[in-house]
Amino acid sequence: AYPVGLGICLFVHGLGPLWLARPVLLLIHGMTGIPTVVYGFVAVFLLVPSLRNNFSHGSGFSLLAAALTPSVLILPTIVLLINSQLQQTVPSLRLTATALGISRVQELIRISLPASAYGTALVLLCLTGMLYSGAFVLHKTLEWRWNQH
């Protein structure tokens, strides 16, 4: 989810067309308000049947479905954290890059992204911790249920 979130942030900050950047960011803001239960229902009723239909083996309840659901769940968090980091870095450097004649893509890739590397690395670290804690709770729950039978 991190590379996709970083790509969405770079798209919003200048790699994509300006008329599409605002609706994408509004969609991401809207995704933060969706409860996790809704993501679970969407995964069970839409993702699992589509995996079952597209792949000939299995019931659709797979590691792929189990990985895609939390990835989509944490995607808005990733995008908004990286977006806030880029918003703090970009305005101070944009004028200088424009004065030097650097294109928007070069400014994002070679100036703004490295300047905000510390913050984006912290985002990755925090989200990795969130995922590990969720996996630990799931592991202990399954271990407890296994020992009950």
Side-chain angles (χ1 to χ4, degrees):
Y2 186 80
V4 174
L6 186 62
I8 290 172
C9 281
L10 292 177
F11 180 85
V12 166
H13 279 278
L15 293 183
L18 292 176
W19 61 271
L20 192 58
R22 182 150 173 85
V24 166
L25 205 54
L26 285 174
L27 176 72
I28 295 296
H29 276 283
M31 285 176 67
T32 59
I34 299 173
T36 56
V37 174
V38 174
Y39 282 105
F41 282 133
V42 168
V44 168
F45 293 117
L46 293 178
L47 180 64
V48 169
S50 75
L51 289 175
R52 184 181 319 128
N53 294 336
N54 290 330
F55 298 107
S56 59
H57 302 293
S59 64
F61 291 100
S62 62
L63 189 59
L64 181 62
L68 285 176
T69 304
S71 295
V72 172
L73 179 69
I74 65 169
L75 185 66
T77 307
I78 294 170
V79 170
L80 293 178
L81 287 173
I82 295 174
N83 184 39
S84 68
Q85 187 66 34
L86 284 175
Q87 281 178 345
Q88 292 174 0
T89 310
V90 170
S92 61
L93 298 173
R94 185 174 293 161
L95 184 62
T96 306
T98 305
L100 291 172
I102 297 173
S103 73
R104 183 74 180 121
V105 174
Q106 289 175 335
E107 183 257 326
L108 270 173
I109 301 294
R110 298 186 186 264
I111 297 173
S112 296
L113 199 57
S116 63
Y118 182 71
T120 54
L122 284 177
V123 169
L124 182 62
L125 183 67
C126 289
L127 292 171
T128 303
M130 283 174 45
L131 287 176
Y132 278 140
S133 64
F136 179 75
V137 169
L138 180 64
H139 171 71
K140 288 299 179 183
T141 304
L142 292 175
E143 184 180 280
W144 178 76
R145 286 205 30 99
W146 183 262
N147 290 334
Q148 294 295 321
H149 295 292

